[in-house]
PDB file of all heavy atoms in Angstrom:
ATOM      1  N   ARG B 155       1.152   8.937  16.139  1.00 98.00           N
ATOM      2  CA  ARG B 155       1.963   7.729  16.060  1.00 98.00           C
ATOM      3  C   ARG B 155       3.385   7.900  16.576  1.00 98.00           C
ATOM      4  O   ARG B 155       3.916   7.049  17.262  1.00 98.00           O
ATOM      5  CB  ARG B 155       1.988   7.244  14.614  1.00 98.00           C
ATOM      6  CG  ARG B 155       2.815   5.944  14.412  1.00 98.00           C
ATOM      7  CD  ARG B 155       2.933   5.580  12.942  1.00 98.00           C
ATOM      8  NE  ARG B 155       3.713   6.507  12.162  1.00 98.00           N
ATOM      9  CZ  ARG B 155       5.051   6.552  12.172  1.00 98.00           C
ATOM     10  NH1 ARG B 155       5.757   5.754  12.934  1.00 98.00           N
ATOM     11  NH2 ARG B 155       5.686   7.472  11.408  1.00 98.00           N
ATOM     12  N   VAL B 156       3.992   9.050  16.242  1.00 98.00           N
ATOM     13  CA  VAL B 156       5.404   9.232  16.625  1.00 98.00           C
ATOM     14  C   VAL B 156       5.566   9.864  18.019  1.00 98.00           C
ATOM     15  O   VAL B 156       6.698  10.089  18.472  1.00 98.00           O
ATOM     16  CB  VAL B 156       6.168  10.059  15.545  1.00 98.00           C
ATOM     17  CG1 VAL B 156       6.123   9.400  14.221  1.00 98.00           C
ATOM     18  CG2 VAL B 156       5.660  11.527  15.530  1.00 98.00           C
ATOM     19  N   THR B 157       4.475  10.049  18.738  1.00 98.00           N
ATOM     20  CA  THR B 157       4.512  10.637  20.082  1.00 98.00           C
ATOM     21  C   THR B 157       4.444   9.487  21.114  1.00 98.00           C
ATOM     22  O   THR B 157       3.611   8.582  21.002  1.00 98.00           O
ATOM     23  CB  THR B 157       3.347  11.575  20.276  1.00 98.00           C
ATOM     24  OG1 THR B 157       3.383  12.630  19.303  1.00 98.00           O
ATOM     25  CG2 THR B 157       3.415  12.246  21.676  1.00 98.00           C
ATOM     26  N   LYS B 158       5.279   9.608  22.126  1.00 98.00           N
ATOM     27  CA  LYS B 158       5.298   8.553  23.197  1.00 98.00           C
ATOM     28  C   LYS B 158       4.028   8.602  24.020  1.00 98.00           C
ATOM     29  O   LYS B 158       3.411   9.664  24.184  1.00 98.00           O
ATOM     30  CB  LYS B 158       6.516   8.863  24.166  1.00 98.00           C
ATOM     31  CG  LYS B 158       7.857   8.736  23.471  1.00 98.00           C
ATOM     32  CD  LYS B 158       8.959   9.059  24.489  1.00 98.00           C
ATOM     33  CE  LYS B 158      10.335   8.963  23.834  1.00 98.00           C
ATOM     34  NZ  LYS B 158      11.409   9.290  24.767  1.00 98.00           N
ATOM     35  N   PRO B 159       3.591   7.465  24.519  1.00 98.00           N
ATOM     36  CA  PRO B 159       2.460   7.447  25.450  1.00 98.00           C
ATOM     37  C   PRO B 159       2.684   8.386  26.595  1.00 98.00           C
ATOM     38  O   PRO B 159       3.789   8.450  27.166  1.00 98.00           O
ATOM     39  CB  PRO B 159       2.391   5.990  25.925  1.00 98.00           C
ATOM     40  CG  PRO B 159       3.034   5.223  24.795  1.00 98.00           C
ATOM     41  CD  PRO B 159       4.102   6.110  24.259  1.00 98.00           C
ATOM     42  N   GLY B 160       1.691   9.212  26.909  1.00 97.00           N
ATOM     43  CA  GLY B 160       1.820  10.237  27.939  1.00 97.00           C
ATOM     44  C   GLY B 160       2.370  11.541  27.386  1.00 97.00           C
ATOM     45  O   GLY B 160       2.346  12.535  28.137  1.00 97.00           O
ATOM     46  N   GLY B 161       2.815  11.532  26.128  1.00 98.00           N
ATOM     47  CA  GLY B 161       3.280  12.771  25.515  1.00 98.00           C
ATOM     48  C   GLY B 161       2.157  13.610  24.903  1.00 98.00           C
ATOM     49  O   GLY B 161       0.966  13.247  25.002  1.00 98.00           O
ATOM     50  N   TYR B 162       2.546  14.665  24.221  1.00 98.00           N
ATOM     51  CA  TYR B 162       1.569  15.633  23.751  1.00 98.00           C
ATOM     52  C   TYR B 162       1.740  15.927  22.263  1.00 98.00           C
ATOM     53  O   TYR B 162       2.873  16.037  21.738  1.00 98.00           O
ATOM     54  CB  TYR B 162       1.664  16.944  24.506  1.00 98.00           C
ATOM     55  CG  TYR B 162       1.251  16.860  25.931  1.00 98.00           C
ATOM     56  CD1 TYR B 162       2.173  16.582  26.947  1.00 98.00           C
ATOM     57  CD2 TYR B 162      -0.100  17.007  26.297  1.00 98.00           C
ATOM     58  CE1 TYR B 162       1.833  16.499  28.267  1.00 98.00           C
ATOM     59  CE2 TYR B 162      -0.462  16.934  27.632  1.00 98.00           C
ATOM     60  CZ  TYR B 162       0.494  16.656  28.621  1.00 98.00           C
ATOM     61  OH  TYR B 162       0.117  16.539  29.940  1.00 98.00           O
ATOM     62  N   VAL B 163       0.608  16.107  21.620  1.00 98.00           N
ATOM     63  CA  VAL B 163       0.569  16.687  20.251  1.00 98.00           C
ATOM     64  C   VAL B 163      -0.074  18.070  20.418  1.00 98.00           C
ATOM     65  O   VAL B 163      -1.169  18.215  20.904  1.00 98.00           O
ATOM     66  CB  VAL B 163      -0.255  15.823  19.262  1.00 98.00           C
ATOM     67  CG1 VAL B 163      -0.464  16.540  17.973  1.00 98.00           C
ATOM     68  CG2 VAL B 163       0.464  14.497  19.039  1.00 98.00           C
ATOM     69  N   ALA B 164       0.658  19.092  19.960  1.00 98.00           N
ATOM     70  CA  ALA B 164       0.218  20.485  20.129  1.00 98.00           C
ATOM     71  C   ALA B 164       0.088  21.148  18.749  1.00 98.00           C
ATOM     72  O   ALA B 164       1.071  21.150  17.975  1.00 98.00           O
ATOM     73  CB  ALA B 164       1.199  21.265  20.993  1.00 98.00           C
ATOM     74  N   VAL B 165      -1.079  21.688  18.461  1.00 98.00           N
ATOM     75  CA  VAL B 165      -1.345  22.265  17.113  1.00 98.00           C
ATOM     76  C   VAL B 165      -2.031  23.613  17.286  1.00 98.00           C
ATOM     77  O   VAL B 165      -2.956  23.713  18.071  1.00 98.00           O
ATOM     78  CB  VAL B 165      -2.191  21.302  16.280  1.00 98.00           C
ATOM     79  CG1 VAL B 165      -2.537  21.965  14.934  1.00 98.00           C
ATOM     80  CG2 VAL B 165      -1.515  19.974  16.104  1.00 98.00           C
ATOM     81  N   ARG B 166      -1.561  24.575  16.537  1.00 98.00           N
ATOM     82  CA  ARG B 166      -2.202  25.906  16.491  1.00 98.00           C
ATOM     83  C   ARG B 166      -2.389  26.310  15.066  1.00 98.00           C
ATOM     84  O   ARG B 166      -1.465  26.205  14.250  1.00 98.00           O
ATOM     85  CB  ARG B 166      -1.284  26.908  17.249  1.00 98.00           C
ATOM     86  CG  ARG B 166      -1.952  28.303  17.438  1.00 98.00           C
ATOM     87  CD  ARG B 166      -0.941  29.130  18.227  1.00 98.00           C
ATOM     88  NE  ARG B 166      -1.588  30.336  18.818  1.00 98.00           N
ATOM     89  CZ  ARG B 166      -1.292  31.584  18.441  1.00 98.00           C
ATOM     90  NH1 ARG B 166      -0.474  31.816  17.414  1.00 98.00           N
ATOM     91  NH2 ARG B 166      -1.858  32.593  19.032  1.00 98.00           N
ATOM     92  N   ASP B 167      -3.589  26.774  14.722  1.00 98.00           N
ATOM     93  CA  ASP B 167      -3.877  27.202  13.349  1.00 98.00           C
ATOM     94  C   ASP B 167      -4.789  28.404  13.350  1.00 98.00           C
ATOM     95  O   ASP B 167      -5.701  28.509  14.139  1.00 98.00           O
ATOM     96  CB  ASP B 167      -4.535  26.077  12.551  1.00 98.00           C
ATOM     97  CG  ASP B 167      -3.514  25.359  11.636  1.00 98.00           C
ATOM     98  OD1 ASP B 167      -3.165  25.943  10.594  1.00 98.00           O
ATOM     99  OD2 ASP B 167      -3.091  24.248  11.993  1.00 98.00           O
ATOM    100  N   ALA B 168      -4.534  29.294  12.394  1.00 98.00           N
ATOM    101  CA  ALA B 168      -5.381  30.450  12.207  1.00 98.00           C
ATOM    102  C   ALA B 168      -6.728  30.076  11.651  1.00 98.00           C
ATOM    103  O   ALA B 168      -6.905  28.921  11.156  1.00 98.00           O
ATOM    104  CB  ALA B 168      -4.724  31.474  11.252  1.00 98.00           C
ATOM    105  N   ASP B 169      -7.667  30.971  11.757  1.00 98.00           N
ATOM    106  CA  ASP B 169      -9.019  30.805  11.203  1.00 98.00           C
ATOM    107  C   ASP B 169      -9.367  32.089  10.471  1.00 98.00           C
ATOM    108  O   ASP B 169      -9.741  33.074  11.092  1.00 98.00           O
ATOM    109  CB  ASP B 169     -10.033  30.510  12.331  1.00 98.00           C
ATOM    110  CG  ASP B 169     -11.345  29.974  11.839  1.00 98.00           C
ATOM    111  OD1 ASP B 169     -12.004  30.700  11.065  1.00 98.00           O
ATOM    112  OD2 ASP B 169     -11.688  28.822  12.137  1.00 98.00           O
ATOM    113  N   TYR B 170      -9.226  32.081   9.187  1.00 98.00           N
ATOM    114  CA  TYR B 170      -9.317  33.278   8.359  1.00 98.00           C
ATOM    115  C   TYR B 170     -10.713  33.947   8.484  1.00 98.00           C
ATOM    116  O   TYR B 170     -10.793  35.175   8.557  1.00 98.00           O
ATOM    117  CB  TYR B 170      -8.932  33.046   6.934  1.00 98.00           C
ATOM    118  CG  TYR B 170      -7.420  33.094   6.746  1.00 98.00           C
ATOM    119  CD1 TYR B 170      -6.607  32.078   7.142  1.00 98.00           C
ATOM    120  CD2 TYR B 170      -6.832  34.190   6.116  1.00 98.00           C
ATOM    121  CE1 TYR B 170      -5.237  32.108   6.990  1.00 98.00           C
ATOM    122  CE2 TYR B 170      -5.452  34.295   5.945  1.00 98.00           C
ATOM    123  CZ  TYR B 170      -4.665  33.243   6.398  1.00 98.00           C
ATOM    124  OH  TYR B 170      -3.335  33.309   6.213  1.00 98.00           O
ATOM    125  N   ALA B 171     -11.756  33.161   8.425  1.00 97.00           N
ATOM    126  CA  ALA B 171     -13.071  33.761   8.498  1.00 97.00           C
ATOM    127  C   ALA B 171     -13.396  34.429   9.826  1.00 97.00           C
ATOM    128  O   ALA B 171     -14.254  35.228   9.908  1.00 97.00           O
ATOM    129  CB  ALA B 171     -14.160  32.653   8.206  1.00 97.00           C
ATOM    130  N   ALA B 172     -12.584  34.050  10.837  1.00 98.00           N
ATOM    131  CA  ALA B 172     -12.794  34.664  12.172  1.00 98.00           C
ATOM    132  C   ALA B 172     -11.857  35.908  12.377  1.00 98.00           C
ATOM    133  O   ALA B 172     -11.988  36.533  13.423  1.00 98.00           O
ATOM    134  CB  ALA B 172     -12.509  33.620  13.246  1.00 98.00           C
TER     135      ALA B 172
END
Side-chain angles (χ1 to χ4, degrees):
R155 180 185 66 78
V156 301
T157 303
K158 296 178 180 180
Y162 292 92
V163 170
V165 177
R166 187 177 197 248
D167 259 284
D169 194 297
Y170 276 75

